[in-house]
Amino acid sequence: MKHVLLVENHSIVRLATLFIIRDVFPAVTSWETDNFPDALHIVSTRRLDLIVLDINIPDGEGFQMVAKIRRLQPEVTILVFSDIDEELYAVHYLKAGVNGFLSKTSSTPEIRIAILSVLTNGRYVSEMVQQILLRRNITPGMRQSNPLAALSQREIEVMDLLLEGKWTKEIATLLNITGSSVSTYKLRIFEKLGVNTVIELYQKVSTLRE
């Protein structure tokens, strides 16, 4: 019997995902939620084998969600299933501690393979992510075609919050770092992306993500 939590704010996606999971593992007990606070409550009260986690959910906390889940259930398998940019975010989420990263544009057979892989082998990455990891390992100094790929995990967190309109003090509180650290990360982001203001940052990122 597999115990699965689906954290996804679109009911049709939850239904389709659960259908695929039950096709792979017929004996499944499942819980569903559309927001992160409720997800944490379920994680704290139920022993789980698999968490299928969307990143863009109400009250989501980016990379911090992984750390909070791991503090409650260190051994649980976490599969990110999201529409965020796989090329930009997948490696960072794998480093943050998830077992797999799957794009919502994936085909049904690939979703089935991903679920089976994380629950049997403990790991899944798409062919795209495999190529990214291979390039980084073979040529670690190679310049990335997309400058967003040069950002660190923390820089991405700060950038996303800046793009949401958060101020330095708010970002410091959300990420549990000092205001001066936020300013340092902001400066690094601006330097790497060649911008001088948050407005220019928004325009640059919008172009790079098209």
Side-chain angles (χ1 to χ4, degrees):
M1 174 71 72
K2 298 295 183 182
H3 299 84
V4 177
L5 170 62
L6 303 176
V7 188
E8 163 65 56
N9 63 326
H10 294 99
S11 58
I12 189 65
V13 177
R14 291 199 304 270
L15 181 64
T17 306
L18 184 58
F19 179 83
I20 295 172
I21 292 172
R22 285 181 170 157
D23 184 50
V24 178
F25 297 98
V28 169
T29 299
S30 64
W31 293 267
E32 301 176 20
T33 181
D34 62 0
N35 65 84
F36 188 59
D38 283 352
L40 276 184
H41 175 71
I42 295 170
V43 174
S44 67
T45 57
R46 306 288 182 180
R47 198 66 189 169
L48 301 166
D49 297 298
L50 172 66
I51 298 173
V52 180
L53 176 66
D54 189 7
I55 302 303
N56 294 325
I57 55 172
D59 298 312
E61 300 177 25
F63 297 106
Q64 301 302 313
M65 292 192 288
V66 180
K68 289 186 175 182
I69 290 171
R70 287 278 177 235
R71 282 197 289 269
L72 293 169
Q73 292 200 40
E75 303 302 320
V76 69
T77 296
I78 303 173
L79 175 64
V80 170
F81 185 41
S82 190
D83 56 4
I84 62 174
D85 190 333
E86 182 179 18
E87 184 175 2
L88 175 59
Y89 287 95
V91 173
H92 290 297
Y93 271 99
L94 290 167
K95 289 181 177 179
V98 305
N99 300 84
F101 189 104
L102 184 65
S103 170
K104 284 187 178 177
T105 61
S106 302
S107 65
T108 298
E110 188 171 0
I111 296 171
R112 186 179 291 108
I113 290 170
I115 292 167
L116 183 62
S117 295
V118 293
L119 281 174
T120 56
N121 303 318
R123 182 69 64 181
Y124 171 81
V125 291
S126 69
E127 184 175 343
M128 174 193 289
V129 176
Q130 290 179 41
Q131 291 301 316
I132 292 171
L133 292 171
L134 183 62
R135 289 198 303 269
R136 291 186 180 183
N137 287 334
I138 294 176
T139 54
M142 183 177 66
R143 184 178 180 84
Q144 300 288 340
S145 59
N146 187 334
L148 290 174
L151 300 180
S152 69
Q153 176 180 316
R154 183 63 87 184
E155 288 166 353
I156 288 175
E157 289 180 305
V158 172
M159 181 189 74
D160 285 343
L161 291 170
L162 286 170
L163 294 176
E164 290 177 13
K166 298 288 193 298
W167 297 94
T168 296
K169 187 175 181 180
E170 293 177 284
I171 295 173
T173 300
L174 288 168
L175 299 181
N176 195 28
I177 58 179
T178 65
S180 61
S181 293
V182 174
S183 298
T184 299
Y185 287 121
K186 181 179 177 181
L187 179 61
R188 291 177 185 170
I189 294 165
F190 282 12
E191 288 178 346
K192 289 181 178 181
L193 298 184
V195 299
N196 297 299
T197 67
V198 174
I199 292 176
E200 290 181 9
L201 176 66
Y202 180 85
Q203 294 171 335
K204 183 67 172 282
V205 172
S206 296
T207 300
L208 291 171
R209 287 179 171 172
E210 287 180 352

